[in-house]
Amino acid sequence: MAYARGRDSRRSRGGRLRGGGSRGGFGGDKKPKFMASRITGPNEGEYAGGPESGASEPDEGSQSPDNETLSEDGEDEDEDDLHSPNIRPYSVLIQSLNAKETSGQPRRKKRKLGSKGAQSPGPHIKDSTGYSGGAELNGDLDGVEADGDVDLSEFLDFSEAMDEEEQLGDTDCLDPYETHFANPDETSLSNQIWEILDAGWQMHRIEHEGLGKATIATAASSKQRDSVYFTGPENLKLKKRLSGPIHKLRPKFYPLEGAISPYIFNYQDFLFCARSLQSAEDLRTLTCLHALNHVFKTRDRVIKNNSRLAKGDVSEDVELRDQGFTRPKILMILPTRQSCARVIDSIITLCEPEQQENKKRFQDSYVEADDKISDGKPEDFRDLFGGNDDDMFRIGLKFTRKTIKFFAQFYNSDIIIASPLGLRMAIGTDIKKGDYDFLSSIEVMIVDQADALLMQNWEHMEYIFEHLNLQPKEAHGCDFSRVRNWYLDGNAKYRRQTIVLSAFNTPELNGIFSSHMKNTEGKAKFTNDYDGVMLELCLGIKQSFSRYDSPSLATDPDARFKYFTTVIVPSLSYYDKPTKELAGQGTLIFIPSYLDFVRIRNYFSSSLATQNLSFGTISEYTSAPDVARARSHFLSGRHSVLLYTERAHHFRRYVIGGVRRVIMYGLPDNPVFYREIVGGYIEKSTIEGKVDPRGAVIRSVFSKWDGLKLERVVGSKRVGMMIRSVGDTFDFV
């Protein structure tokens, strides 16, 4: 199946997706007790890897059921082990190794764990954090990066792997991580989920001076929080290894950072619609710091509990629930490989790793030193498409005590960074064969530059959200005795934090805010007040806005097309005839949607009303030679009308000459495009003497469903009047 992309001219640089079936799971004749009420796998209630898999049934207290020795045919060497008393094989292994060290025997540096049989595939091996090492999905498009032998010292050096505060054993009850993920109040959580499902959200609005307005949504029983401002990193509950670097990098927060950091670090869902080029780096630093802090706290908690189990400090009736179904906890969605490289640079700056595995491979695949973009392109275009602008990628990051490993397999990764297209291809479209279990335990999702993702295929984003935090189809070596209860109850989506950063708000982002942000901690949406980009045009040109009636959003495309063909098209024939000085009408029709573009193109080709109008077309799918030909014919007057799409302008930013009139079939989402097309194109024609500013025509069509777009063009103070006023035409000079 072919996947729609943001730019058809770019091709994927990755290879084929590799994967395989799960090798983990539970065996034996008896079904584990936790499965009866929590989860049901395929095969009529038997979990993945049942009796056919040959894996032995683990003891409930065992930390690593995969460490049991298997014969070459996959069955237990001693059937009596199935009936043996409940023991802890992992604890016995640790104690035996410690005994050898104390007896004077030399300690082995490394040892590969697995089956005795040389040809046996062997069971899953869990790393020092207690997660399964069996990864069925590659973490990048460029090939499989296999994990090496397991370092046994990593299992033993628990104290070295933890921060000082973890070794002390103290738990900060004021830490948002503790209250939201580690030790939530089960009764309060159930009540909040019921309130959200039954009564919806309790909404209120606050103003942040200089930052715009915020809409806060909480559960009915939740207390309304006062506006909090963080002055610096000292207000954050950070791991020790992150506190030093962020204090050096940012001793004090800027006003924007101080205002939004309480929402981010308190694990609330957050939609920020005021991202700019100036604030991009600050937002990236905050989100990367939050993601690393979450990964390190999760990892240290698991290692600490592993140490307690190895020492036998935990009684049989104590449950240590500190994990999800799979290891990946952070998902970052970005538009290009260059944006991924910037995020990686921020991560490295913040965590200061001693080693970086596969760093050169990452640099070769994601970083391009040569910037091929001309100096004449706008700054926002250079920021988005500078460097490696490939929009098909995915990569997994694995963290150990001193190392970052790039291109880790997804089920071994702590952080997954991907584009919508890259992750969609990893998941697949076949419901039965698709693999999305690696998204089952995502606890923090970060979407940066969402305004750029809107110009790609937004259906990929919707598909990703629909497959987050679902019950896994296979076990993947999971120790269900360590899985948190709200995972087993299917409530992970009410705990997941979703952070979306965009330059402006759109109906699609509002849909994410309403449908997929269900965090019981609440959610916040920041929006700007706009003066109106039309005020930035100093040409003295009359700008007209025409409103048409549209009874419903579903019928809006038909109502718009009817208004255009009955009101706008007849007026095209009334424009001045070409002269020797001014050849052609020079009418550019800007069309936001490609579907509308196809509809209008067909209309111009077949309608009798346009038979005397010659026209050209430029869309995101038009080849470079055809674009050059269309621009040349429009400039010379051979074509009177040029149909031009929003995505073509987003990806190319053409500077089109010969424009005397601009018809906006629909307003652009990005207000910068209005300034560039109306101001830039008309200004260019004015300087060249091809049009008198008083004779230029600027006409935009809108309905009540275009309120967000209209607000950014005409300003927040005018949009309400234009939507609700009796009149339907508004002129501004």
Side-chain angles (χ1 to χ4, degrees), residues 536-588:
E536 301 176 14
L537 307 179
C538 303
L539 302 176
I541 302 174
K542 184 177 72 172
Q543 303 175 56
S544 299
F545 297 84
S546 301
R547 189 187 69 217
Y548 63 92
D549 293 330
S550 178
S552 68
L553 184 60
T555 60
D556 185 67
D558 294 332
R560 187 186 302 268
F561 181 75
K562 180 179 179 180
Y563 181 86
F564 178 79
T565 55
T566 57
V567 178
I568 303 298
V569 171
S571 66
L572 296 179
S573 60
Y574 297 146
Y575 292 146
D576 296 337
K577 298 293 183 180
T579 64
K580 293 182 179 180
E581 294 79 12
L582 301 174
Q585 293 185 4
T587 302
L588 184 141

Side-chain angles (χ1 to χ4, degrees), residues 647-713:
R647 290 177 68 191
H649 190 73
H650 170 78
F651 288 117
R652 301 301 182 188
R653 298 295 177 90
Y654 294 118
V655 179
I656 300 176
V659 178
R660 300 172 58 194
R661 303 172 181 86
V662 174
I663 305 296
M664 291 278 181
Y665 185 81
L667 292 169
D669 276 319
N670 193 340
V672 175
F673 295 173
Y674 185 90
R675 182 178 66 239
E676 291 176 350
I677 293 174
V678 174
Y681 291 178
I682 297 295
E683 182 180 15
K684 184 175 185 296
S685 298
T686 302
I687 294 174
E688 295 174 352
K690 295 184 177 182
V691 64
D692 185 346
R694 293 172 297 179
V697 176
I698 309 297
R699 189 169 184 178
S700 302
V701 178
F702 72 95
S703 71
K704 63 181 180 181
W705 310 108
D706 296 327
L708 294 175
K709 299 179 180 180
L710 186 65
E711 179 185 14
R712 294 188 282 270
V713 174

Side-chain angles (χ1 to χ4, degrees), residues 6 450-457 646-647 650-651 669 673:
D451 51 302
L453 299 177
L454 286 164
M455 291 291 103
Q456 298 178 12
N457 193 334
E646 182 176 9
R647 290 177 68 191
H650 170 78
F651 288 117
D669 276 319
F673 295 173

